[in-house]
Amino acid sequence: MKIPKRLAPLLDEGLIDEVIGQLMSGKEATVYVVRSGDSTRCAKVYKDAKQRSFRQAASYRDGRKVQNSRQARAMEKGTRYGRQMQEELWQNAEVDALFRLANAGVRVPQPYICTDGVLLMELVVDATGGVAPRLNDVDLTEARALELHALLLNQVVRMLCAGVVHGDLSEYNILLAADGPVIIDLPQAVDAAANNEAASMLKRDVDNLAAYFGRFAPQILATGYGTEIWALFEAGQLHVDVELSGRIEVDTRPVDLDSVLQELEETRLEEDARIRRQQELSAG
């Protein structure tokens, strides 16, 4: 096959020895099967921003750190340099998440190197050694759906324990390998502690899993695992072996409105006093 332009430098540098063929082309990247020595791997070639249909929403960028203020200003203004920095930050987010999660025991493809917009990583295979199918391409029994749903909930928990939320998890970015599900596509992954929308993203990821597996096991649709997982995380009680119930206790006690109003009034008075002290100090 014709060698893709972005893969030529990897061939020249000996990082890969052969491009076997194209595996898939998605909204943000094209993935190729390549050979590196005796190993078959995949190379994810990120598309330029103008070629992508997926937009880097501000909600995903929230909490991501840049190296210096010049880069931050350029990204905010949308200059050419700023757009370049934004692209690097976007691609690095997936690489960082993959290394972080692989080290935490999360089932993701093992990353090897990322250079010039190409991510070289493990090729996930099925029991026959062929490319593992996406979850949405597999027929499931009720028992298998319940099993896989439980396995993936544990992976979501492990990710959160490592401080990461996938942010776009669904049956389309989970591969069914020979030894179980593997989570892929992480450029939109967010830091659970730094991103203000991490909680809603986590719940959406879990709801997506419930909606898919609920087609085969309808009892999953009545669960509330996302809310439960985040509540445990916020309370500092989440760990990789946590037992989840899928049920959330709703506080039905009436709100003590007088106490709430009193607390608000005390807060207002404290703020007024603080402002007066500052004014007095400034006048002095």
Side-chain angles (χ1 to χ4, degrees):
M1 65 170 290
K2 183 179 179 181
I3 304 301
K5 182 179 179 180
R6 299 278 289 279
L7 292 181
L10 278 74
L11 284 164
D12 294 340
E13 295 173 19
L15 296 173
I16 60 176
D17 298 302
E18 179 187 3
V19 180
I20 298 173
Q22 180 176 312
L23 179 58
M24 58 82 67
S25 182
K27 56 191 177 184
E28 64 181 36
T30 301
V31 180
Y32 297 89
V33 178
V34 299
R35 181 176 61 81
S36 297
D38 295 331
S39 301
T40 303
R41 297 174 176 173
C42 65
K44 183 173 185 176
V45 180
Y46 292 98
K47 295 180 179 179
D48 294 332
K50 59 186 177 182
Q51 296 178 308
R52 288 202 312 260
S53 60
F54 189 90
R55 294 292 177 260
Q56 301 174 23
S59 57
Y60 292 112
R61 299 196 300 268
D62 180 34
R64 293 186 178 176
K65 297 178 181 179
V66 295
Q67 294 180 5
N68 55 54
S69 56
R70 174 174 175 257
Q71 291 181 353
R73 289 195 300 271
M75 288 164 60
E76 186 176 342
K77 292 179 180 179
T79 64
R80 182 177 179 181
Y81 173 71
R83 291 193 298 272
Q84 179 184 344
M85 289 300 98
Q86 193 72 64
E87 282 300 293
E88 291 184 8
L89 193 65
W90 185 250
Q91 294 169 15
N92 289 340
E94 177 160 38
V95 180
D96 292 345
L98 283 172
F99 276 108
R100 188 172 176 180
L101 295 175
N103 290 336
V106 178
R107 293 181 55 82
V108 295
Q110 177 63 48
Y112 297 113
I113 191 173
C114 186
T115 179
D116 296 326
V118 179
L119 171 60
L120 188 63
M121 57 185 170
E122 172 191 7
L123 178 67
V124 181
V125 298
D126 61 15
T128 67
V131 176
R134 292 178 184 267
L135 185 59
N136 68 297
D137 291 326
V138 179
D139 289 327
L140 301 175
T141 63
E142 179 180 349
R144 184 59 169 156
L146 289 168
E147 178 190 7
L148 290 175
H149 181 250
L151 287 172
L152 284 163
L153 279 180
N154 179 257
Q155 294 305 301
V156 170
V157 167
R158 286 178 177 271
M159 290 177 70
L160 191 52
C161 287
V164 177
V165 174
H166 187 286
D168 191 33
L169 190 60
S170 74
E171 64 271 22
Y172 298 101
N173 44 37
I174 298 170
L175 302 179
L176 197 53
D179 57 349
V182 176
I183 295 171
I184 61 171
D185 294 341
L186 288 141
Q188 73 294 313
V190 301
D191 187 305
N195 190 292
N196 291 323
E197 296 187 38
S200 60
M201 290 182 187
L202 183 283
K203 292 171 187 174
R204 185 177 63 203
D205 284 351
V206 175
D207 286 347
N208 286 344
L209 293 178
Y212 175 72
F213 288 110
R215 302 177 196 172
F216 310 97
Q219 60 268 44
I220 293 175
L221 297 173
T223 59
Y225 287 109
T227 302
E228 181 184 12
I229 291 170
W230 189 261
L232 290 169
F233 175 70
E234 280 196 315
Q237 298 173 357
L238 191 68
H239 55 86
V240 295
D241 296 318
V242 68
E243 291 189 13
L244 302 172
S245 67
R247 298 186 299 273
I248 294 297
E249 296 295 332
V250 179
D251 189 352
T252 58
R253 293 174 299 176
V255 175
D256 187 346
L257 187 57
D258 289 339
S259 295
V260 173
L261 292 174
Q262 179 64 31
E263 186 173 342
L264 289 173
E265 178 64 13
E266 289 174 357
T267 301
R268 185 187 68 79
L269 292 174
E270 288 176 2
E271 179 65 11
D272 289 345
R274 185 186 66 81
I275 293 173
R276 282 197 302 272
R277 286 196 300 271
Q278 285 186 334
Q279 290 173 341
E280 291 169 359
L281 289 172
S282 298

